[in-house]
Amino acid sequence: MLDMTMKFPSSPAITRLSTAAVLLLAAVAQPLLSTAWANEQSGDITRSWSMAEFGEPLYDESMTHWPYANPEAPAGGNIVLGAFGSFDSLNSYILKGEFPRSLGLASDTLMVGSGDELASAYGLLASSVEYPADKSWILFTLRPEARFDNGQPITAADIEFSFRTIREHGRPFLKSFYSEVDSVELVDDHQIRFNFNTTNTMKPLMKVAGLSPLSVDYWKDKDISKTYLTPGPSSGAYYISNIDAGRSLTYTRVEDYWGKDLAMNKGLNNFDSIRYDYYRDLEVMLEAFKAGEIDFRAENSSKRWATAYQIEEVDNGEIVLDTPPDNTPGAIQGYFFNLRREPFGDHRVRQAINLLYDFETIKRTILYNQYERINSYFPNSDYGSSGAPTAEEIAVLEPFRERLAPEVVSQEFRAPVTDGSGRNRREMRQALGLFNEAGWQLQEGKLMKDGQQMRMELLLVQPDGQRTAAPFIQNLKKAGIDATIRIVDSAQYQVRVDDFDFDLISVRLNFFPPPGPELRSYYGSAAADERGSANMAGIKDPVVDALVEQIVAAESLEKLQVTTRALDRVLLWNHYVIPQFYNAEHRIAYWNRFGQPDTLPRYISFTATGFPTGWWLDPALDGKLDLDR
């Protein structure tokens, strides 16, 4: 599965969707405030150490540390985590190469999010922000003590350089992500101002707050448009200390890290080093964990969770299994059609193929009843649709009624539901009827049109996906489709995804609550044919484009929620995706050597390569284990 997850703003530059974007420098750097800006100071200006997209931040400047961090946590110890795949570059900005998803450990951001809120930002590199009532610009004042691990101060020019890098060389999604920024002004060494082409929306301000610096001094005689394996200076609590390309990556804590005493860092970043070992086989990685070679894993396989941890180390408490709740707004996870290829441009074909995905049988026979079906592009959130359209949603959709299927404004969307027996004859008949309407006929067991059999290849990168896809492939074959699965290595997979070289692909697309400009890259027409964009399906729908722009421009949370639910209905009823499943709990396993805060953040995140930075190595617990490293 292609995990397009982004965490904002606390984890910069860790995925293609989370690296800070860079924009064209449209104003000459100035050592003093511009006259226009100075005049604006007399207006209604907000000055603060924090901000929220809607409402007020949860915490004020009296906060001494996050409630979910222990400022007395002991520091020390080394841990090992596992990562799937490989890497051949440390450049997360450009489209070329495969980079580690853990690079955020070595990068601080202008502002950092709270684990108890979905859309807030607190000053990290920036000591304060200023912005006017109309939100047409924002000024960040950097902390003068902020510096890279090589001792060089972090300046406004380093922030501007990261913008320019993405504007000139960045991945398409990153370029589009900050399209609302009109210009950048370097006010002085420690102040940078972003001017927006929008007004009365906080979303662009929140996005630029997630920017990380690139050292101008380091890169002045190097080409940042190419892949590289020599790390640049770190702005975060860790620096990259050892690289074994494609095999392992080690981060070591910066001994004199400039931000260690800030309230948002106290009790975090407690390990001396964090090493990521890379595996190309998920089962081998599991066995490495059970052998004590990996300390922690977030389990994504229902079969492994149900069967693979029945071992002595779990029984005697050396390995801990836990299922903390997942309150984070979810992602649309599903098989995405490539509308650029026939016959997937026909919505009847897509709807028919959806009918052949027998989730109830897969849930019963393969998923150990651990998952529920996804019925929204914004699951587990206040932004997804449910039930029949409300009057407010219908009002949003009314101007587009003639372009919409009648059910979009009249019915609840529910993915097809079978009886779970594995004999989905009813759905097969319905599917064949839709195929017939689209001109496809079942002839001698083959679904034919114009003398050609319908063919379809599901592209995967993780072998695990083959197991849950197999029943679906069998149903496609029963319908006369020449359906196959192809598994490729991570490097080839990335190239094929960037080139849109697939029929069907398994994707997980997170949105960033509240949803905003990222939707343009996910579903907007302008991104559909841009190599490397996040519009996997190749959606080109003027209604979708219009609704996305309304979401970006929404001036209230209520308006944004209603419009997002309307967009959800349009996307769902067009059958661009075969929705898969989700779990409302995390599944984690770890060796019992860690201390943890008494309080968990409300929106705690565990990923395949992610680890709670508020944990620490407990000497008493660790002493009871005999881990031979």
Side-chain angles (χ1 to χ4, degrees):
M1 175 174 297
L2 178 63
D3 189 350
M4 302 288 288
T5 303
M6 170 179 173
K7 297 186 292 180
F8 171 81
S10 59
S11 297
I14 59 173
T15 71
R16 68 151 67 207
L17 305 188
S18 59
T19 312
V22 65
L23 297 131
L24 182 63
L25 182 59
V28 177
Q30 304 175 58
L32 300 174
L33 298 178
S34 66
T35 302
W37 183 68
N39 290 339
E40 289 174 335
Q41 297 303 288
S42 60
D44 185 8
I45 304 297
T46 296
R47 298 177 178 86
S48 179
W49 80 305
S50 62
M51 59 184 181
E53 185 159 353
F54 294 101
E56 298 295 327
L58 185 60
Y59 302 108
D60 60 31
E61 288 186 273
S62 67
M63 182 189 78
T64 58
H65 62 86
W66 300 122
Y68 46 83
N70 176 10
E72 304 302 321
N78 309 306
I79 65 170
V80 180
L81 304 179
F84 177 75
S86 182
F87 69 94
D88 58 13
S89 174
L90 298 179
N91 192 343
S92 61
Y93 288 84
I94 64 174
L95 191 58
K96 184 179 179 181
E98 187 177 8
F99 60 89
R101 265 53 181 174
S102 55
L103 289 176
L105 284 171
S107 298
D108 273 346
T109 45
L110 285 169
M111 305 184 79
V112 66
S114 155
D116 289 332
E117 303 159 275
L118 291 175
S120 64
Y122 299 82
L124 184 54
L125 287 172
S127 60
S128 65
V129 295
E130 303 178 23
Y131 54 89
D134 68 358
K135 287 53 167 211
S136 60
W137 54 263
I138 187 170
L139 176 82
F140 295 95
T141 299
L142 275 63
R143 301 180 190 271
E145 68 270 27
R147 63 185 184 275
F148 293 104
D149 70 305
N150 63 3
Q152 288 283 341
I154 296 173
T155 69
D158 299 314
I159 300 294
E160 184 274 332
F161 178 55
S162 67
F163 266 91
R164 179 157 46 86
T165 297
I166 294 298
R167 172 62 72 180
E168 296 176 3
H169 309 296
R171 299 165 182 267
F173 180 85
L174 302 180
K175 290 182 180 181
S176 68
F177 204 61
Y178 291 93
S179 59
E180 291 86 358
V181 176
D182 185 63
S183 63
V184 181
E185 297 178 44
L186 297 181
V187 178
D188 59 31
D189 283 349
H190 291 95
Q191 288 191 317
I192 185 169
R193 167 171 155 156
F194 298 87
N195 302 303
F196 303 105
N197 53 31
T198 57
T199 56
N200 301 313
T201 174
M202 285 292 295
K203 178 67 77 172
L205 286 67
M206 298 294 293
K207 293 304 182 186
V208 295
L211 178 65
S212 296
L214 285 170
S215 172
V216 173
D217 183 70
Y218 176 83
W219 285 105
K220 63 185 178 183
D221 57 356
K222 301 176 181 67
D223 188 353
I224 200 168
S225 69
K226 300 184 181 301
T227 61
Y228 58 86
L229 282 170
T230 300
S234 166
S235 60
Y238 289 86
Y239 68 95
I240 298 174
S241 58
N242 189 61
I243 302 168
D244 186 355
R247 296 175 180 271
S248 72
L249 191 66
T250 302
Y251 298 88
T252 297
R253 188 173 50 202
V254 178
E255 290 188 10
D256 58 346
Y257 169 49
W258 71 271
K260 63 181 180 180
D261 293 326
L262 295 177
M264 61 284 301
N265 282 329
K266 286 184 178 179
L268 306 183
N269 308 310
N270 298 313
F271 304 108
D272 285 343
S273 75
I274 303 173
R275 189 181 83 220
Y276 287 86
D277 288 343
Y278 280 75
Y279 295 82
R280 296 178 183 269
D281 188 297
L282 292 170
E283 297 303 323
V284 173
M285 185 160 64
L286 171 63
E287 294 306 314
F289 167 76
K290 292 195 289 186
E293 297 174 10
I294 297 173
D295 288 302
F296 169 94
R297 61 183 278 112
E299 185 56 73
N300 63 0
S301 165
S302 56
K303 179 182 179 181
R304 283 195 293 266
W305 189 249
T307 64
Y309 296 91
Q310 297 174 3
I311 55 177
E312 179 182 353
E313 289 81 2
V314 172
D315 294 337
N316 65 23
E318 291 183 330
I319 290 177
V320 178
L321 306 182
D322 197 8
T323 55
D326 185 359
N327 299 313
T328 305
I332 176 63
Q333 175 179 314
Y335 296 130
F336 278 55
F337 293 103
N338 187 352
L339 274 64
R340 306 168 188 84
R341 293 186 174 183
E342 293 299 333
F344 310 117
D346 192 317
H347 73 90
R348 295 166 297 187
V349 170
R350 300 194 300 270
Q351 184 178 356
I353 294 173
N354 262 276
L355 286 163
L356 299 176
Y357 183 75
D358 185 354
F359 170 73
E360 283 66 34
T361 297
I362 293 172
K363 176 182 177 181
R364 176 179 60 83
T365 61
I366 297 177
L367 297 178
Y368 295 84
N369 289 312
Q370 295 178 22
Y371 291 88
E372 298 300 327
R373 190 77 187 269
I374 289 177
N375 278 290
S376 172
Y377 279 70
F378 309 95
N380 200 34
S381 78
D382 295 327
Y383 306 98
S385 60
S386 63
T390 64
E392 293 79 8
E393 292 166 15
I394 292 174
V396 171
L397 295 169
E398 187 62 39
F400 313 106
R401 183 182 287 267
E402 293 184 0
R403 304 181 191 178
L404 300 173
E407 53 266 27
V408 176
V409 292
S410 61
Q411 298 179 27
E412 175 186 17
F413 177 87
R414 301 294 295 176
V417 178
T418 70
D419 62 12
S421 67
R423 298 181 295 274
N424 58 333
R425 296 189 180 92
R426 179 188 61 186
E427 289 74 24
M428 183 68 70
R429 287 194 299 270
Q430 292 173 347
L432 290 174
L434 287 166
F435 284 135
N436 289 342
E437 289 180 20
W440 294 88
Q441 303 292 327
L442 192 61
Q443 301 173 6
E444 299 180 355
K446 297 180 179 181
L447 196 61
M448 305 291 291
K449 182 179 180 180
D450 299 329
Q452 299 291 324
Q453 183 181 11
M454 184 182 293
R455 289 179 170 83
M456 185 186 317
E457 179 185 88
L458 172 61
L459 181 67
L460 298 174
V461 66
Q462 293 187 1
D464 272 13
Q466 187 171 8
R467 181 169 158 268
T468 53
F472 175 46
I473 296 298
Q474 286 300 113
N475 283 341
L476 294 173
K477 290 180 177 179
K478 289 177 183 177
I481 300 171
D482 181 8
T484 57
I485 296 175
R486 182 180 295 273
I487 302 174
V488 297
D489 64 42
S490 57
Q492 182 181 356
Y493 185 82
Q494 189 63 61
V495 172
R496 290 191 60 173
V497 169
D498 290 339
D499 289 337
F500 307 120
D501 183 15
F502 58 86
D503 297 329
L504 202 64
I505 191 172
S506 184
V507 175
R508 175 183 169 88
L509 287 182
N510 261 10
F511 69 96
F512 318 129
E518 71 276 6
L519 301 180
R520 292 173 176 147
S521 189
Y522 286 167
Y523 313 119
S525 298
D529 295 324
E530 187 173 15
R531 182 179 184 271
S533 85
N535 189 343
M536 301 293 167
I539 297 169
K540 294 181 179 180
D541 185 338
V543 176
V544 170
D545 293 338
L547 292 175
V548 166
E549 293 309 311
Q550 290 184 30
I551 291 168
V552 172
E555 296 183 10
S556 71
L557 182 59
E558 293 75 16
K559 176 63 174 177
L560 188 149
Q561 289 173 336
V562 169
T563 310
T564 307
R565 292 168 189 156
L567 172 66
D568 195 22
R569 296 183 187 280
V570 174
L571 293 170
L572 289 167
W573 283 106
N574 272 291
H575 306 288
Y576 297 127
V577 172
I578 303 171
Q580 288 179 291
F581 39 82
Y582 75 98
N583 191 341
E585 296 177 327
H586 297 286
R587 295 176 300 205
I588 59 174
Y590 56 91
W591 284 88
N592 191 16
R593 60 195 302 241
F594 299 106
Q596 304 177 36
D598 294 332
T599 303
L600 289 175
R602 174 170 176 75
Y603 300 107
I604 192 169
S605 177
F606 299 100
T607 65
T609 56
F611 189 80
T613 56
W615 289 18
W616 63 89
L617 202 62
D618 186 310
L621 290 173
D622 193 39
K624 297 178 182 179
L625 298 176
D626 183 22
L627 296 179
D628 185 15
R629 294 276 174 81

